[in-house]
Amino acid sequence: MRVGVPKEIKAQEYRVGLTPGAVREYVAAGHKVTVETNAGAGINADDAAYQKAGAVIGKDAAEIFATSEMIVKVKEPQSQEWKLLSEGQILFTYLHLAPDPRQAKGLMESGCTAVAYETVTDARGGLPLLAPMSEVAGRLAIEAAGMSLKAFNGGRGLLIGGVPGVQPARVVVLGGGVVGTHAARMAVGLGAEVSVLDKSLPRLRELDELFQGRVRTRFSALDTIEEEVFAADVVIGAVLVPGASAPKLVKREMLKHMKRGAVVVDVAIDQGGCFETSHATTHADPVYAVDGVIHYCVANMPGSVPLTSSHALNNATLPFGLALAGKGVRAILDDVHLRDGLNVHRGRITHPGVAKSLGLPLKDAAEAVQEELRQHSPRLAG
Ligand SMILES: NC(=O)c1ccc[n+]([C@@H]2O[C@H](COP(=O)([O-])OP(=O)(O)OC[C@H]3O[C@@H](n4cnc5c(N)ncnc54)[C@H](O)[C@@H]3O)[C@@H](O)[C@H]2O)c1
């Protein structure tokens, strides 16, 4: 298959859809990969590195989109890219369509087959293409907290791990899923005193096993949240209720009981945040204070470490991308987890959650692909 990798054009996005290592895998599997010139600049991979991996370098996005049967990206296509997509072309990237009716319309009008990283599933009910970015964000959250705790940034002037004879920071993690676990791991590694709160008892048991007593696990309830948050130097917001906005676990009036210069890193900000006082910020201007509490609420934290993030993302997307490149849309029929990723197919919405959020009719994903195969490649329809 002819696979194309355009340069990301969303503001402050430095990741790339395929690393040179991933390109090599596609080429070894017999595919032709065209990469837009400078697409890998954000991860220090120049055109020569891509050529060495077997890619052809394309001069601009128009060329990549016009000559490829499948486009592999990171962020959702921007409005100028919708027009470059074509009927039957496969798009494999993050989409986050539920709150984005304009993009949904753009993709539907293009006639493309759009598979969204964030809705591909695994056998354990997880989201394997979202997890690597949660791992990155969780680990970054403690770095961000450490920076914000510094006195010249308005923080308490506290070193997370303390030193012998001086107490470390109290780090409280709300939500012990992927983000929360990786944040807790970093905080423990630095020597902080760490509590993790979660609503799920099985999850708290797993964390208890994992951390072997180095982390205090607590059931998330009004009392425990207040007790922990009021005593905290750092609070990491890491809750997720799938398909819903993050619950506001920390109300505005609670802030006045928190320590002055304490730091909130609300990683869950992409789902609205779990502090009532959170609003999304950018890497250019990441923090603000409310009642003396420093808020860090960057919505695309992994974008700040594109080298780590691109490799982590490629490790997870590679098997699915190779399946799509190898079998075309037939791969979507053959793998129920990839099928969960199908959001838009030739003008119709094929993901129940996206259809519901956008108030648009739903087309069954398997049926949609079967119809396409019957029409265009009857041999593969099965
Ligand atoms: N800002 C960023 O750059 C960035 C990057 C990656 C992920 N995220 C976001 O971080 C959030 C967490 O992602 P994740 O992958 O860790 O999700 P996850 O599903 O792995 O974990 C979420 C956890 O929250 C728990 N939870 C739900 N309701 C709770 C409550 N009331 N109190 C305590 N715990 C509760 C769940 O039981 C679960 O263990 C998501 O909103 C995700 O989109 C943001």
Side-chain angles (χ1 to χ4, degrees):
M1 185 180 273
R2 294 191 309 276
V3 178
V5 183
K7 186 171 170 57
E8 294 296 319
I9 55 174
K10 190 166 181 177
Q12 292 184 326
E13 181 54 63
Y14 305 103
R15 290 171 291 178
V16 60
L18 292 183
T19 58
V23 166
R24 200 173 158 201
E25 300 286 339
Y26 277 76
V27 172
H31 306 296
K32 181 181 174 204
V33 183
T34 310
V35 177
E36 185 178 344
T37 184
N38 281 325
I43 63 160
N44 307 322
D46 59 11
D47 290 351
Y50 279 101
Q51 281 167 321
K52 191 164 170 238
V56 172
I57 302 301
K59 70 174 187 315
D60 56 21
E63 180 186 336
I64 304 291
F65 280 81
T67 57
S68 305
E69 294 158 276
M70 174 161 96
I71 298 290
V72 184
K73 275 176 52 61
V74 179
K75 293 307 279 186
E76 72 280 3
Q78 307 299 292
S79 55
Q80 58 269 50
E81 292 174 314
W82 307 336
K83 300 177 193 84
L84 300 175
L85 285 160
S86 55
E87 172 120 24
Q89 194 170 40
I90 297 174
L91 171 67
F92 190 41
T93 191
Y94 286 118
L95 290 176
H96 297 289
L97 279 180
D100 195 351
R102 280 188 67 235
Q103 191 204 161
K105 186 164 177 278
L107 294 184
M108 288 164 78
E109 284 173 0
S110 76
C112 77
T113 294
V115 179
Y117 292 163
E118 71 274 8
T119 64
V120 172
T121 53
D122 64 21
R124 296 175 60 212
L127 301 171
L129 306 192
L130 209 51
M133 294 307 99
S134 290
E135 292 170 351
V136 172
R139 290 182 179 216
L140 273 175
I142 299 300
E143 280 189 18
M147 187 55 78
S148 301
L149 272 177
K150 289 178 181 150
F152 56 77
N153 286 328
R156 280 174 57 68
L158 190 69
L159 181 63
I160 288 190
V163 290
V166 182
Q167 66 186 31
R170 277 190 78 152
V171 175
V172 173
V173 182
L174 301 175
V178 182
V179 168
T181 304
H182 284 265
R185 197 180 210 121
M186 289 289 275
V188 165
L190 287 175
E193 197 186 324
V194 184
S195 302
V196 181
L197 286 76
D198 205 291
K199 272 246 178 264
S200 157
L201 276 180
R203 186 62 198 145
L204 290 175
R205 289 192 184 104
E206 283 169 5
L207 290 167
D208 188 59
E209 276 292 310
L210 183 68
F211 286 101
Q212 299 280 314
R214 288 289 316 278
V215 157
R216 193 184 302 119
T217 57
R218 303 204 66 185
F219 184 72
S220 174
L222 295 172
D223 273 353
T224 46
I225 292 171
E226 276 184 9
E227 196 181 305
E228 290 287 342
V229 166
F230 294 166
D233 300 299
V234 172
V235 184
I236 309 292
V239 297
L240 176 66
V241 178
S245 296
K248 302 287 179 209
L249 300 185
V250 181
K251 308 275 186 251
R252 200 209 146 99
E253 60 273 15
M254 288 169 68
L255 256 55
K256 57 178 175 293
H257 301 287
M258 288 181 68
K259 296 178 185 169
R260 296 310 84 189
V263 172
V264 169
V265 180
D266 203 348
V267 186
I269 189 66
D270 59 343
Q271 301 292 335
C274 49
F275 274 66
E276 213 168 62
T277 43
S278 294
H279 64 73
T281 58
T282 63
H283 292 295
D285 192 10
V287 295
Y288 60 94
V290 181
D291 290 349
V293 174
I294 313 296
H295 290 52
Y296 176 102
C297 304
V298 174
N300 64 334
M301 294 172 69
S304 67
V305 287
L307 190 56
T308 303
S309 299
S310 296
H311 284 288
L313 181 62
N314 272 251
N315 290 345
T317 57
L318 186 65
F320 296 101
L322 284 176
L324 282 168
K327 300 193 203 174
V329 290
R330 174 80 226 185
I332 296 170
L333 270 190
D334 290 350
D335 180 353
V336 65
H337 301 301
L338 198 49
R339 194 150 73 236
D340 287 336
L342 187 66
N343 279 211
V344 182
H345 179 267
R346 293 185 182 248
R348 288 177 295 191
I349 300 288
T350 50
H351 187 278
V354 173
K356 189 164 177 241
S357 299
L358 295 174
L360 290 170
L362 172 70
K363 173 75 185 172
D364 180 75
E367 250 174 50
V369 174
Q370 276 286 9
E371 281 170 18
E372 170 178 347
L373 289 172
R374 274 199 292 273
Q375 209 180 333
H376 299 280
S377 351
R379 204 170 44 80
L380 293 176

